[in-house]
Amino acid sequence: MLCCDNLPENGHVVRGVVLDLARLIDPDLAAWIEAQGLPSTMVDRIVPATTPADLDRVETLTGRRDEAPVMHEPFRQWVVEDRFCNGRPDLGAVGVQLVDDVTPFEHMKLRMLNGTHSSLAYLGYLAGHQTIADTMADPVMAQFVDRLWRSEIIRR
């Protein structure tokens, strides 16, 4: 089983839920599950707001109007703990990072990406910028991010 959500420590959470259910059904099943690996994962994908042009493009490509498609930028990161019980597919071949512990990657994403993004969204809005890209193009905001990372986020 492999979690593909953004819940921190998702493997531990799912493992606990599955074990609780298994104990109610069959103690032997629960014992077997307890001996198996259930890796935690961290998934990241930049998903900007959908524009009218995006809606039109999806309609052109599919022949159907979808009022809520999820668009994405090229960036993606999928980090998976290498804790599988009986072999695993070659996830590295498709760009998955296999690690011993996903926690540092979760912290990095929450602090460096999500925390910085929120700061830029609020400050950029107050400064009159329309997008994060516009905000980052502002030298004052770029300097703010540099200082935020160096002084508050990156541990030395």
Side-chain angles (χ1 to χ4, degrees):
M1 188 179 316
L2 189 63
C3 298
C4 297
D5 59 36
N6 274 326
L7 180 67
E9 300 184 3
N10 52 19
H12 302 287
V13 173
V14 170
R15 179 182 179 81
V17 171
V18 169
L19 281 171
D20 287 348
L21 179 61
R23 287 183 189 111
L24 293 173
I25 297 170
D26 180 351
D28 291 335
L29 174 62
W32 180 84
I33 292 170
E34 200 155 17
Q36 308 308 310
L38 207 160
S40 287
T41 66
M42 191 274 313
V43 180
D44 191 12
R45 191 85 196 237
I46 298 173
V47 183
T50 303
T51 66
D54 294 328
L55 300 178
D56 293 342
R57 181 168 178 256
V58 169
E59 184 173 14
T60 298
L61 291 171
T62 66
R64 299 189 187 276
R65 187 73 177 176
D66 182 348
E67 293 296 332
V70 177
M71 310 309 285
H72 60 83
E73 293 181 7
F75 173 83
R76 71 178 185 277
Q77 184 180 29
W78 190 13
V79 182
V80 176
E81 289 176 340
D82 199 0
R83 295 183 189 175
F84 293 84
C85 62
N86 201 12
R88 62 170 161 72
D90 186 7
L91 298 172
V94 293
V96 173
Q97 291 173 263
L98 295 161
V99 300
D100 291 331
D101 182 10
V102 78
T103 305
F105 293 89
E106 291 175 335
H107 290 168
M108 176 188 66
K109 178 186 178 234
L110 290 172
R111 293 174 182 153
M112 295 186 80
L113 180 66
N114 295 9
T116 302
H117 190 269
S118 293
S119 297
L120 288 170
Y122 302 133
L123 295 174
Y125 174 78
L126 292 173
H129 298 298
Q130 296 295 311
T131 66
I132 297 297
D134 293 341
T135 304
M136 278 304 296
D138 180 333
V140 172
M141 294 296 178
Q143 184 179 17
F144 162 75
V145 169
D146 184 60
R147 183 171 289 154
L148 176 67
W149 281 8
R150 290 176 190 267
S151 302
E152 302 295 331
I153 296 176
I154 299 172
R155 292 187 179 163
R156 297 175 193 213

